[in-house]
Amino acid sequence: MITNIIQKQQINKDKASEIGNYILSCAILDDTITPKISSLQADWFYTDFQKKCIKYMHELILQNEPISLVGLNSKFQIDGQSAITNLAALTQTSVTSLVNIDYYIKELKKLYIIREAWKKGHELLQVSLDTIELQDITQDFRNKIDEIESQSTKSQVKHIEEFNIDIPEFIKNYNKITGIPTGFTGLDNILLGLKSNKLYIIAARPSLGKSALMGNIVENAVLNENKKVLVVGLEMTANEYIMRMVMSQTHTTPDNFYYQDKDKELTEFLNKLKNTNLYFCDNPSLNVLNIKFLATQLKQQKGLDVIALDYTQLVEGLENQQNRNAEISFISRQLKLMSRELDVVVIALSQLNREKQDGQVPQLRHLRDSGALEQDADIVIFLHCDLDYEEFIQREVIKIDLIVAKQRGGKVGKTRLQFNKPMTRFFNIENEKGVYK
């Protein structure tokens, strides 16, 4: 048992040293992660050299100087040391991509907490050998546990000076599209693009084009913005989603398959789609924790910008949930946490409840099964058509209102798109720029 513990401790140290080198190397090679470096603590790193490096990096940041080999070596020299050889070796660490930096920072902190737990456990063992009184042993045990817990929550509370807020940059980008464009002018004018850390709910009655709109947004993200997107399809198979995208982008309807020679055009576009960063999961029995696990894996291995879920009410509940309202509340909260923890856009489709009558403009209270969707969502978009049912069924091309009913920290408003139902394609309407409320 002791041998096993020693082996695990050595693995922890080796892994912590390797991850520490990777993070420090990233900091030297790419200044875009400087804000993340500011939040790291020297104690999280394992070697003395790494601890000094992060300390000197923090000093350079406070002095508004770039993190560089020259700057770091000058800091070491001030302390009477020369570290140019070690620093040069550090930059030789293989850095294939920065998309995993958040994951490695979490791993570094986790390994530190594990080492602290071992250390406190050893101290507790010494106390139990040296102390006779049960009360003293119990109290010391509680103190050690509190110390470990304090390490896991340290730096979650920050002073205002620690936040990197650039007022000139904020003013410069105000009312500009800074997120991922949806491809729809009026909608982008209201949303200013899709932003990471946000949960977007798109809701409508059946057949109004929820899945089509989500698909069109995904198409734009992967084809025109080169974003990495995961589509979690619980209503259709991946092949069905893909064929919808092919028809949408080639402006093809099912009837065209029989009356026009479309094979070559469709095949060419399918090959184009295969060269994008588009991923699918169409397992219909996933629960929200399964989805979170798959998304986390993809984020770590390939990178991820957008998660698109079709749709919320089809996500499996957990066995210990008392009713469907409680299930949807849990799912909604997890989707919101997913957007924050993975730093991605989450788009989730939702049904409306039966309280909404045909022709009635949807309201936030019409979101089905739980008020948690309204509370957790950063943005809620309703699709609405004022045609009566018979006329809606008969027409192949209709106009759909997109109503931004909620936008945390932004404007609400309405825009109108043209929806070609057979093509599963939405189109911009000329001069439609969106109306703010």
Side-chain angles (χ1 to χ4, degrees), residues 22 350 422:
Y22 174 86
S350 175

Side-chain angles (χ1 to χ4, degrees), residues 42-93:
D43 286 343
W44 295 358
F45 292 82
Y46 179 64
T47 69
D48 289 339
F49 172 71
Q50 290 174 345
K51 290 177 180 179
K52 287 181 179 178
C53 276
I54 197 67
K55 172 177 174 270
Y56 295 147
M57 284 182 181
H58 288 170
E59 289 179 8
L60 290 171
I61 292 170
L62 288 173
Q63 293 165 4
N64 203 26
E65 295 180 17
I67 296 173
S68 65
L69 288 176
V70 174
L72 287 171
N73 191 51
S74 67
K75 292 288 184 184
F76 275 100
Q77 288 177 335
I78 291 172
D79 283 349
Q81 306 170 57
S82 178
I84 193 66
T85 303
N86 289 337
L87 288 169
L90 191 63
T91 59
Q92 300 304 310
T93 302

Side-chain angles (χ1 to χ4, degrees), residues 185-201:
T185 306
L187 189 59
D188 282 331
N189 285 342
I190 299 172
L191 300 180
L192 304 179
L194 304 174
K195 310 225 175 32
S196 58
N197 295 302
K198 303 292 185 185
L199 170 59
Y200 294 76
I201 298 291

Side-chain angles (χ1 to χ4, degrees), residues 3 14 31 55 102 125 151 199 209 218 238 267 273 275 278 286 305 312 324 326 334 347 353 361 370 398-399 411:
T3 303
D14 292 343
D31 60 2
K55 172 177 174 270
D102 289 331
L125 178 61
Q151 294 295 340
L199 170 59
V218 167
T267 302
L273 201 58
N275 289 324
L278 180 58
L286 292 177
D305 300 299
T312 307
R324 192 54 181 162
Q334 289 302 312
I347 305 170
N353 60 37
V361 177
S370 173
I398 59 175
K399 290 182 179 178
K411 302 171 182 177

Side-chain angles (χ1 to χ4, degrees), residues 337-400:
L337 290 174
M338 208 182 304
S339 71
R340 292 285 300 274
E341 292 172 5
L342 298 182
D343 190 29
V344 297
V345 174
V346 175
I347 305 170
L349 304 188
S350 175
Q351 293 179 330
L352 298 180
N353 60 37
R354 298 185 184 278
E355 178 188 342
K356 180 195 173 299
Q357 303 299 315
D358 289 337
Q360 181 184 3
V361 177
Q363 307 290 326
L364 290 172
R365 59 186 171 84
H366 292 138
L367 288 170
R368 187 169 179 178
D369 288 332
S370 173
L373 284 173
E374 174 190 344
Q375 295 168 12
D376 291 327
D378 296 287
I379 293 91
V380 177
I381 304 169
F382 292 119
L383 278 64
H384 174 66
C385 179
D386 54 11
L387 297 176
D388 61 44
Y389 181 76
E390 291 298 327
E391 194 172 5
F392 173 82
I393 293 297
Q394 290 171 4
R395 292 191 187 183
E396 289 191 345
V397 180
I398 59 175
K399 290 182 179 178
I400 297 284

Side-chain angles (χ1 to χ4, degrees), residues 411-423:
K411 302 171 182 177
V412 296
K414 182 173 73 171
T415 187
R416 180 168 284 195
L417 298 176
Q418 185 168 280
F419 180 38
N420 186 308
K421 292 191 286 183
M423 289 182 188

Side-chain angles (χ1 to χ4, degrees), residues 202-235:
I202 299 177
R205 293 296 297 272
S207 302
L208 275 183
K210 296 188 298 293
S211 298
L213 180 63
M214 183 190 80
N216 293 169
I217 292 171
V218 167
E219 293 159 25
N220 189 68
V222 297
L223 291 167
N224 300 325
E225 305 299 329
N226 196 30
K227 298 301 181 181
K228 299 177 175 68
V229 180
L230 170 63
V231 175
V232 181
L234 307 180
E235 188 172 37

